[in-house]
Amino acid sequence: MITTKRRAGRYGLLASSTLIAGRMAGAAMAQDAGLITDQPDVSDNTIKTIIIKAEGSKAAATAPTKASVDATQPQSIISRPYIDLVVPETGDFTNVALIAPSVSGTQGNGAGYGDAKLVLRGFQDAEYNVTYDGIAYGDTNDPSHHSNTFFPNSTIGALVVDRGPGAAGDLGQANFGGAIHMFSNKVSDDFGFTQKVSLGSFNSWQVLSVLQTGRIKSLHGLKLFVNLQERSTDGALSYFRLKSDNQEIKAELPISDNWNMTFLFTHNMNFSYSPDNDGATLAQVAMYGKDFSMSNDPSSPTYYKYNRILKHTNFGYVRLNGDLGNGWTLEDTAYTYFYSNKTLSALDTTGGTAPGTYGYAAGVDPLTSTAKPTIANGNPTALSGYDKFNYYDVHGDILRVNKDVGFGILKMGGLIETSDTLRHRYDYAINQNDPYDTSTPDYREKPCVTIETAASATPVKCNPDNRSVQYDERSWWTQYQLFADFVWTPTDRLTITPGLKSVDFERNNAGKSKSKPSLTYAATPETATFKKTLQFLTVNYKLEKNWSVYGQYATGFLIPPLKALYVNDLANSDPKPQTSTNYQLGTVYNGSRISVDADIYQIDFKNKFTCNNNYCTNQGGVQYKGAEGQIAYAFDFGLTAFLNGSVNSAKDNDSGLTIGQAPKSTLGFGGIYRKGPLKLALTYKNVGEQWAEDGEEAEYKIKAYDTTNLVISYDFGRITTKLGVDNLFDNRAITKIDINGAPYDQYHFQAPQNVMLTVAAKF
């Protein structure tokens, strides 16, 4: 029987507000920023400097998001005190970034309990970089991201949302629509141990252990940070269960007075019962409610044991940095990351595909028959499913060399990166008996094997023509990026930074695919090469030491996805890389009580990708434009009130209509109160209306939705307690629609109210 969770209640839209830019002037400007001396919770010197300058006043230091007066593009800096207090303990980087303007996205199973995707100004995941300690990572078929598979909330010391391509020295595959930069926690000079235990809704628990060794004099000053996390949940959605653990170790070793080495390694494991393509149809919602995902019915493709995913990831680097003398500095980072996804899934959980539509006809024994399984001639008692595997290894090195020439700094360097990827999808009947039980036929397609039994070795008929293979491929790439930025400071107030970056990317693909029968391992791999030189120019001028204006011109570049190399009509499938030209103007002011910044932007996006089974090509472009702002005010009695928002437009150049999954606006506001041992936070986020697909089709219009979160924390000394309530008013609006064709479209809703109690002990 399918069980769902209760849901009721509506929360009216809180009062909207316009962006604030003119407030930079007035009485608040009369006072200079009083510096905050708290140590930032990161070790990276560059981001540490950015945070110190951004948090140069009480208002900025206590605000959820802020920008630095040295900013050269719109940014939102989110530091560890906010993450520690407000972001759900089980969350990931998407939950951290959501408070920023122009950022939207949700996870219907609860914070960190599933794969969430962020939208940035209308740019989708895979159209912007996500980095960790300056290293961009992502899938190798396209640079998309799985939010809860690498870095949980506990491993993030600070996060910066850059709403623009950055400078030439910002490296990664998707220097296109912006970037989300995560930075690891600082390694402390002092010993410390923290134990956290969290219990919450949906039978959820999490245990987090954090160790700081401090400087170990007997090991030349080596210091270590160890972060160990385990968690489990039944999930907000029916039978959408998750078990995961994460281990991270970071070490810093001073080699000499001017040279240091940093080592970081993290491993993550997720096992979940979840459909490969989640979301509920309207018919399923009407019958089972908005919490429906899977069932406990073995006769249905929604049976949770037919839908399970096991993921393992690793990420690590070794970084050497130091002073070469005469104004020269060097930093070299060798890195690697790994991803493995083993998925067993029903072919279709919407009901759009009838049981037995793929497979052997009833009565056919695959062990003796030469008949092939087909779409039209399936076993009526068999449920169609597939075995999906995705594995990739990425290795790279980033070299940065800086030269201080007195009136500026020349920054040079480059990236070299290689990848190796194996992917397959094999069809099989999911509700047949165990393949090693020879008493009944095994309807799964598989290579030639021998089943060992107590009596004899029984040969099993194999499939030399690989008729069950949807695809079985290997792909690999090599990319080079060379850059140079010159940070020119002709006066103390003016900074001008021109930059150039050269990108050279070669991708190869080989294997078998039903959509492209000619593709074989034996054949010469299909190769695509992309080259581009990108230009950058930013200007920052300080009207006062705590008030600046800036402007940016930057170009972006994104290569086509891997699927462009396995289509039927490869001769006509030659999409050009997507390109963008960015123009942005903004201002930042950090006073003693008030912190405010605002910007306007226009982005011309060309060569939009479009693919079908026959070929991939380019189709027109999109113009993005809008305005953004964020403001915070610190009162004497411990309250910091904040407001941020955006007005966004992303319209197709040809039709003039809004593209899909691009909200028209965002609005965030609330307050954070700190007084002695007591901390309170109330935050609100509204995401404006959008459409599920390009073209403003009425039936796929998604109305604006909002979420309110409440946190109460009290510090008893060694013991701290925190009660967090996500989605305080239990809103259950539609947030996304996967279009399969009515009535089989799949709908996603806000996760229900989630309450979590955390107790932390410090030693």
Side-chain angles (χ1 to χ4, degrees):
M1 180 179 180
I2 298 171
T3 62
T4 59
K5 300 180 176 65
R6 83 290 165 269
R7 218 46 70 236
R10 272 289 168 208
Y11 177 46
L13 178 65
L14 297 180
S16 61
S17 179
T18 58
L19 297 177
I20 298 178
R23 293 285 299 275
M24 295 176 299
M29 293 179 58
Q31 301 182 35
D32 292 335
L35 295 181
I36 303 299
T37 58
D38 291 344
Q39 175 79 0
D41 288 315
V42 292
S43 300
D44 183 276
N45 286 329
T46 300
I47 186 63
K48 185 186 297 184
T49 301
I50 291 173
I51 292 175
I52 290 172
K53 290 190 176 182
E55 298 186 346
S57 69
K58 181 179 179 181
T62 55
T65 65
K66 72 280 294 183
S68 169
V69 292
D70 292 332
T72 56
Q73 66 178 359
Q75 64 179 196
S76 293
I77 300 170
I78 305 169
S79 52
R80 186 67 210 179
Y82 171 83
I83 298 171
D84 201 41
L85 174 63
V86 180
V87 177
E89 294 290 327
T90 60
D92 52 52
F93 75 86
T94 63
N95 303 104
V96 179
L98 276 174
I99 194 62
S102 289
V103 178
S104 61
T106 62
Q107 167 46 249
N109 199 40
Y113 297 155
D115 189 12
K117 304 292 184 184
L118 289 181
V119 177
L120 178 58
R121 288 180 168 176
F123 288 102
Q124 307 301 307
D125 185 43
E127 293 182 329
Y128 53 80
N129 278 328
V130 177
T131 73
Y132 191 77
D133 280 355
I135 300 165
Y137 72 97
D139 279 1
T140 53
N141 53 324
D142 60 30
S144 57
H145 307 89
H146 306 280
S147 62
N148 68 345
T149 55
F150 277 95
F151 307 108
N153 166 19
S154 63
T155 66
I156 304 171
L159 183 146
V160 179
V161 179
D162 272 342
R163 299 187 293 275
D170 287 310
L171 305 175
Q173 188 179 336
N175 291 110
F176 186 68
I180 295 174
H181 300 294
M182 292 178 280
F183 297 89
S184 60
N185 289 288
K186 70 178 180 182
V187 185
S188 175
D189 289 339
D190 303 314
F191 174 84
F193 178 74
T194 301
Q195 182 67 62
K196 284 187 177 182
V197 177
S198 301
L199 300 172
S201 303
F202 325 129
N203 194 28
S204 304
W205 60 265
Q206 177 172 293
V207 176
L208 175 67
S209 306
V210 181
L211 171 67
Q212 297 272 12
T213 66
R215 292 192 179 274
I216 305 173
K217 294 182 180 179
S218 61
L219 296 177
H220 205 266
L222 174 72
K223 53 184 180 178
L224 300 173
F225 167 85
V226 181
N227 193 91
L228 305 176
Q229 176 180 300
E230 290 187 74
R231 61 178 166 164
S232 175
T233 181
D234 287 346
L237 303 177
S238 61
Y239 294 96
F240 199 142
R241 300 168 181 171
L242 171 72
K243 173 71 173 70
S244 71
D245 57 63
N246 179 275
Q247 305 89 34
E248 182 175 86
I249 181 170
K250 182 179 179 182
E252 293 183 0
L253 176 66
I255 299 173
S256 67
D257 290 342
N258 297 321
W259 288 88
N260 294 279
M261 180 171 287
T262 302
F263 166 85
L264 182 141
F265 178 81
T266 182
H267 168 265
N268 195 89
M269 184 283 294
N270 286 352
F271 175 78
S272 63
Y273 288 108
S274 55
D276 194 27
N277 297 294
D278 60 348
T281 67
L282 291 180
Q284 290 169 333
V285 172
M287 185 172 294
Y288 307 117
K290 294 179 179 179
D291 293 333
F292 177 77
S293 175
M294 292 175 294
S295 73
N296 193 26
D297 180 5
S299 68
S300 169
T302 63
Y303 183 46
Y304 73 99
K305 289 187 178 180
Y306 296 155
N307 299 275
R308 53 192 192 268
I309 300 173
L310 175 63
K311 295 182 179 180
H312 284 275
T313 63
N314 293 333
F315 181 98
Y317 68 81
V318 177
R319 175 170 293 161
L320 176 68
N321 63 282
D323 191 338
L324 296 169
N326 296 319
W328 289 91
T329 61
L330 178 146
E331 178 185 278
D332 187 70
T333 304
Y335 63 89
T336 182
Y337 62 90
F338 154 89
Y339 174 88
S340 172
N341 176 351
K342 298 178 180 179
T343 295
L344 296 178
S345 177
L347 179 65
D348 182 7
T349 59
T350 68
T353 303
T357 54
Y358 180 85
Y360 295 96
V364 173
D365 184 353
L367 301 181
T368 59
S369 173
T370 59
K372 296 181 180 181
T374 65
I375 291 292
N377 194 23
N379 182 344
T381 66
L383 297 176
S384 301
Y386 57 86
D387 165 357
K388 187 177 79 172
F389 177 67
N390 186 10
Y391 163 96
Y392 56 77
D393 249 326
V394 177
H395 307 279
D397 191 272
I398 299 173
L399 176 66
R400 300 180 184 274
V401 180
N402 297 341
K403 169 62 176 175
D404 189 338
V405 296
F407 57 89
I409 299 175
L410 177 63
K411 299 182 176 183
M412 303 173 292
L415 170 151
I416 179 172
E417 185 178 85
T418 63
S419 77
D420 194 8
T421 302
L422 297 174
R423 302 171 69 237
H424 76 229
R425 177 177 149 177
Y426 304 148
D427 295 324
Y428 68 92
I430 60 178
N431 61 336
Q432 302 305 310
N433 289 340
D434 192 302
Y436 294 98
D437 178 3
T438 58
S439 63
T440 58
D442 172 23
Y443 287 89
R444 290 186 289 185
E445 300 284 352
K446 53 192 170 296
C448 298
V449 296
T450 297
I451 293 181
E452 300 288 347
T453 66
S456 63
T458 304
V460 177
K461 183 178 178 62
C462 64
N463 305 303
D465 56 353
N466 290 289
R467 57 182 179 265
S468 70
V469 176
Q470 289 292 333
Y471 57 81
D472 189 351
E473 66 182 18
R474 179 191 173 213
S475 63
W476 60 100
W477 80 47
T478 301
Q479 69 157 320
Y480 306 91
Q481 296 187 20
L482 298 175
F483 75 90
D485 285 306
F486 184 64
V487 185
W488 179 33
T489 51
T491 72
D492 291 341
R493 295 191 173 196
L494 179 63
T495 302
I496 303 172
T497 308
L500 288 174
K501 175 161 57 184
S502 174
V503 180
D504 189 322
F505 195 106
E506 180 181 284
R507 165 175 273 163
N508 299 274
N509 188 59
K512 296 178 181 292
S513 172
K514 279 191 173 180
S515 64
K516 188 173 186 301
S518 63
L519 188 62
T520 65
Y521 283 120
T524 301
E526 290 170 350
T527 301
T529 301
F530 308 95
K531 297 182 180 182
K532 184 73 173 179
T533 299
L534 304 175
Q535 303 87 38
F536 303 82
L537 177 64
T538 62
V539 178
N540 178 290
Y541 183 75
K542 291 184 175 60
L543 302 170
E544 302 289 345
K545 67 178 182 180
N546 59 346
W547 181 19
S548 66
V549 293
Y550 63 84
Q552 180 191 52
Y553 163 82
T555 55
F557 174 76
L558 182 64
I559 70 167
L562 178 64
K563 61 184 176 183
L565 286 181
Y566 54 94
V567 293
N568 286 330
D569 188 2
L570 189 64
N572 290 316
S573 183
D574 188 24
K576 299 177 182 177
Q578 293 182 163
T579 61
S580 65
T581 305
N582 301 255
Y583 306 92
Q584 309 198 82
L585 295 172
T587 184
V588 180
Y589 173 78
N590 286 331
S592 59
R593 292 185 179 274
I594 190 170
S595 170
V596 61
D597 63 87
D599 68 88
I600 56 175
Y601 67 90
Q602 178 174 317
I603 304 170
D604 296 321
F605 165 17
K606 297 180 179 179
N607 300 333
K608 185 179 181 182
F609 300 140
T610 179
C611 294
N612 55 41
N613 285 336
N614 291 318
Y615 58 85
C616 291
T617 187
N618 300 108
Q619 183 178 343
V622 179
Q623 184 170 102
Y624 298 80
K625 57 185 177 181
E628 303 157 323
Q630 45 196 18
I631 183 171
Y633 189 87
F635 295 90
D636 284 338
F637 56 89
L639 174 67
T640 297
F642 71 91
L643 168 69
N644 66 56
S646 65
V647 178
N648 309 98
S649 172
K651 294 190 174 183
D652 183 272
N653 288 341
D654 296 326
S655 68
L657 299 177
T658 302
I659 65 170
Q661 301 181 59
K664 288 186 174 181
S665 63
T666 67
L667 173 67
F669 62 82
I672 298 176
Y673 177 80
R674 296 178 174 91
K675 197 71 172 179
L678 178 65
K679 297 178 183 178
L680 300 172
L682 183 68
T683 60
Y684 169 89
K685 180 66 179 273
N686 178 279
V687 177
E689 70 175 19
Q690 58 185 295
W691 282 265
E693 66 173 355
D694 296 356
E696 301 184 11
E697 295 292 336
E699 63 268 34
Y700 291 123
K701 183 177 181 179
I702 299 174
K703 296 180 180 179
Y705 61 89
D706 55 81
T707 305
T708 304
N709 298 332
L710 173 67
V711 179
I712 304 172
S713 174
Y714 197 89
D715 189 346
F716 293 93
R718 289 193 180 276
I719 304 295
T720 300
T721 60
K722 183 175 77 170
L723 180 68
V725 185
D726 255 16
N727 195 2
L728 179 65
F729 298 99
D730 203 22
N731 292 351
R732 304 304 311 280
I734 296 169
T735 61
K736 182 183 174 184
I737 305 172
D738 295 330
I739 299 174
N740 306 311
Y744 304 113
D745 297 325
Q746 292 173 283
Y747 288 75
H748 302 253
F749 301 89
Q750 290 174 272
Q753 184 187 92
N754 180 4
V755 180
M756 178 159 281
L757 174 66
T758 299
V759 178
K762 300 178 181 179
F763 303 93

